[in-house]
Amino acid sequence: MQYIADLHIHSKYSRATSKSTDLEHLTQWAQIKGIQILGTGDFTHPLWFKEIQNKLEPVKDGLYKLKTAQSDMRFILSTEFSCIYTKNDKCRRIHLCVFAPNIATVAKINQTLGGKYNLKSDGRPILGIDAKELLKILLDISPDIVMIPAHAWTPWFSIFGSKSGFDSVEECFNELAPKIFALETGLSSDPMMNWQWSYLDKYTLISNSDAHSPEKLGREANVFDFKQEPTYKDLMQSIKTRQGFLYTIEFFPEEGKYHLDGHRAHNVVLEPKQTKKLKGICPVCHRPLTVGVLSRVAELADREAPQRPKGAPDQKSIIPLKEIISEIEGVMPTSKRVDAIYHEMIKRGKNEFNILLNLSREEITNVSEPKMAEAIMKMRAGEVIKNPGYDGVFGQIKIFPDSPDLKRLGSSLPGKKTNKNQKVLF
């Protein structure tokens, strides 16, 4: 049986998150999306952990369900840490996903870290500690705790980020590097991009939504095949060995907000070759650019073309269903019209992933209209129009060339006029 898992999310106790990001709404939206396993996120926050303890009940070893819901949706205990520290004479900012086997282990983690660090200020706590030292502390609590570097390529807060990262897992974790067996690719990259660097062949690549609201669940996820409902150890073992790990569900990486290089303050967006020519300096303000994921991957890559490692999970790229409806209807994704059409399609098509990934053209037409079926077929074939994100600005992925509000990449050179809000390519 296939299980879709989104293992990295946040609760209402993290900064810049929706107040509705509670266990009840997360369960509801996981079912709407078609997710069977969901990370709790933020288990170090005292108030969120109290809700986890009071509202969830164990189903199988390490998997939990909402007590008040008649649902097959399961939770796994997860959190994210932000480590900010100096190593090798450079300031490092690393985000790390951590998974725990049970509530008792989480209680020990919180007791151990809470004596020295402030776990109350944010669902994703900021710790002034070396990532290696944090891993050592966690493994001393339980060898079943798993750490996976989060959104590995994001410029500002990741293990390989251009602004504060490392050039290898060993450089970050030293003698504990063998304990790291997986990496999260993040919204601005996908496995295909990572397969350009042979060094990463030994790591399993996972994808998650990093959602800050229930509606954003599943924008990226992982698909597993288990003969029966898995335990925590089954899930972690599948990630480690890749056995039963079928594929990841991906954003088109161009939609991620750090795909290309640039400066959003000046609407400057650059391809890697252009950034090299400018030596990483913004042509408008003459300050360092925010070097994005595509450039950073190219810097470390040793293959001219992606080469999928043996046994590695496949990938499938999607556009969120509300974005497709928005494009077809010519209104914002947050509009009432889009919401009404979305929920009617979910009612007829079971869940969002079933519509986007499984239904035939004829079946999609039965739950919507021919143009929707055409759009989803094009999406599955990768026949999309990409307007890449950069420096914190999400990109746009469109399907039809004549769609309204598609902002195309403009180009501006000395002597050429540019609209005020137009991106500038050099």
Side-chain angles (χ1 to χ4, degrees), residues 75-360:
F75 284 97
I76 184 174
L77 299 164
S78 69
T79 196
E80 181 183 19
F81 290 99
S82 177
C83 292
I84 301 178
Y85 59 101
T86 299
K87 188 166 187 172
N88 300 335
D89 299 321
K90 183 178 178 181
C91 179
R92 312 292 181 167
R93 299 179 179 90
I94 310 295
H95 283 188
L96 303 159
C97 294
V98 170
F99 305 97
N102 50 55
I103 284 178
T105 299
V106 172
K108 291 179 182 178
I109 293 171
N110 293 348
Q111 182 180 15
T112 301
L113 296 178
K116 188 173 182 180
Y117 302 101
N118 182 7
L119 302 181
K120 300 177 183 179
S121 62
D122 191 3
R124 180 183 60 206
I126 299 173
L127 310 182
I129 183 175
D130 189 305
K132 181 195 77 172
E133 294 305 317
L134 176 60
L135 178 56
K136 184 178 185 302
I137 291 170
L138 296 175
L139 292 177
D140 285 343
I141 293 172
S142 170
D144 293 327
I145 292 172
V146 171
M147 178 182 284
I148 298 177
H151 41 73
W153 297 96
T154 302
W156 299 99
F157 297 97
S158 71
I159 190 169
F160 299 136
S162 63
K163 294 293 184 180
S164 61
F166 298 89
D167 289 346
S168 71
V169 172
E170 288 79 9
E171 186 183 1
C172 178
F173 290 99
N174 305 124
E175 73 278 5
L176 293 183
K179 299 295 183 180
I180 303 297
F181 55 78
L183 301 167
E184 183 186 67
T185 57
L187 300 181
S188 295
S189 85
D190 62 7
M192 190 77 70
M193 291 171 61
N194 286 257
W195 294 338
Q196 296 177 78
W197 188 18
S198 63
Y199 168 79
L200 297 181
D201 289 356
K202 61 186 175 183
Y203 296 102
T204 303
L205 303 177
I206 67 170
S207 297
N208 302 292
S209 68
D210 196 0
H212 285 224
S213 69
E215 284 197 49
K216 297 297 184 183
L217 293 178
R219 52 186 177 179
E220 293 200 336
N222 312 276
V223 183
F224 300 91
D225 183 25
F226 295 110
K227 292 181 179 179
Q228 58 185 6
E229 186 172 38
T231 64
Y232 169 86
K233 288 186 177 180
D234 291 336
L235 187 61
M236 293 300 117
Q237 188 68 10
S238 182
I239 294 173
K240 184 175 183 178
T241 66
R242 308 177 189 177
Q243 293 182 8
F245 191 168
L246 302 180
Y247 61 92
T248 57
I249 297 170
E250 302 286 334
F251 247 32
F252 285 92
E254 292 84 359
E255 190 170 0
K257 59 183 179 179
Y258 290 106
H259 187 71
L260 291 185
D261 314 325
H263 259 179
R264 61 178 166 177
H266 309 296
N267 296 318
V268 172
V269 55
L270 302 164
E271 296 281 352
K273 290 182 180 179
Q274 297 160 329
T275 301
K276 280 188 176 181
K277 287 181 180 179
L278 294 170
K279 298 181 179 179
I281 300 299
C282 176
V284 177
C285 68
H286 307 294
R287 298 177 66 184
L289 293 157
T290 299
V291 175
V293 170
L294 191 63
S295 278
R296 182 64 172 147
V297 171
E299 180 183 350
L300 296 176
D302 57 0
R303 291 172 175 154
E304 292 185 5
Q307 183 177 325
R308 181 179 170 186
K310 184 178 180 181
D314 203 352
Q315 70 169 72
K316 295 184 180 182
S317 299
I318 63 167
I319 302 170
L321 183 55
K322 279 196 173 184
E323 291 183 20
I324 300 176
I325 298 170
S326 169
E327 180 178 357
I328 291 173
E329 296 297 320
V331 294
M332 295 296 291
T334 53
S335 71
K336 291 183 179 180
R337 178 167 178 77
V338 168
D339 192 64
I341 294 171
Y342 176 82
H343 284 287
E344 182 60 29
M345 287 186 67
I346 297 300
K347 182 180 178 181
R348 296 180 180 183
K350 190 176 179 181
N351 60 62
E352 182 169 346
F353 282 137
N354 190 48
I355 294 169
L356 293 177
L357 298 172
N358 301 329
L359 296 187
S360 67

